């Protein structure tokens, strides 16, 4: 079965760190563009970060710049989101998504073909 599997969410205090993983199952990240998105209660889903396996480009939404880092491990067929200096406003369900159609980052959501099930990140003050 072709799927994305997220892991690494949890509860931390403000200032703490978490590393989210997005593992591809049933296929290989080749020229994919992979994005991390989040959805907080009562808010729309927003793009947090993106990495293009096609041209190596990465992108971040302004609120997470300097705190989050996206990376890719080819051998493990996994994309990571390292989240440092977490804030209560980072609390959300985090999803990864992949596209074979998007050209680069940031990714146009209409090109995303596959979504993971999400992992909850909760940051307390």
């Amino acid at each position: 079965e072709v799927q994305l599997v997220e892991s690494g969410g949890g509860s931390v205090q403000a200032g703490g760190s978490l590393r989210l993983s997005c593992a591809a199952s049933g296929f290989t990240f080749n020229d994919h563009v992979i994005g991390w998105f989040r959805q907080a209660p009562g808010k729309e889903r927003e793009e947090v970060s993106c990495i293009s396996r096609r041209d190596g480009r990465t992108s971040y939404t302004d609120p997470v710049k300097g705190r989050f880092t996206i990376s890719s491990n080819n051998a493990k067929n996994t994309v990571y989101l390292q989240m440092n200096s977490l804030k209560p406003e980072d609390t959300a369900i985090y999803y990864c998504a992949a596209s074979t159609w998007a050209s680069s980052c940031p990714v146009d959501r209409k090109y995303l073909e596959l979504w993971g099930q999400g992992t909850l990140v909760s940051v307390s003050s």
Side-chain angles (χ1 to χ4, degrees):
E1 182 182 2
V2 173
Q3 59 180 344
L4 296 173
V5 180
E6 300 107 330
S7 61
S11 297
V12 296
Q13 291 190 326
S17 298
L18 286 172
R19 187 178 78 160
L20 305 184
S21 299
C22 173
S25 176
F27 70 104
T28 301
F29 284 139
N30 291 318
D31 291 335
H32 287 78
V33 172
I34 302 101
W36 280 100
F37 295 78
R38 67 185 179 186
Q39 188 165 19
K43 294 188 176 181
E44 293 188 354
R45 192 171 298 189
E46 63 172 346
E47 182 174 337
V48 175
S49 183
C50 174
I51 185 166
S52 170
R53 293 286 303 272
R54 190 164 302 187
D55 60 10
R57 180 180 171 84
T58 61
S59 65
Y60 301 90
T61 188
D62 284 345
V64 308
K65 284 181 180 177
R67 300 188 297 123
F68 291 11
T69 303
I70 193 169
S71 63
S72 177
N73 185 316
N74 296 347
K76 295 187 176 182
N77 209 21
T78 300
V79 170
Y80 302 99
L81 186 68
Q82 178 67 43
M83 306 187 296
N84 297 329
S85 303
L86 283 162
K87 304 176 180 180
E89 50 264 43
D90 295 318
T91 295
I93 299 175
Y94 284 70
Y95 302 87
C96 65
S99 171
T100 57
W101 293 98
S103 58
S104 188
C105 295
V107 59
D108 189 326
R109 204 170 304 185
K110 68 183 179 184
Y111 294 127
L112 293 165
E113 302 154 80
L114 188 63
W115 288 83
Q117 80 288 351
T119 185
L120 177 63
V121 171
S122 179
V123 185
S124 59
S125 57

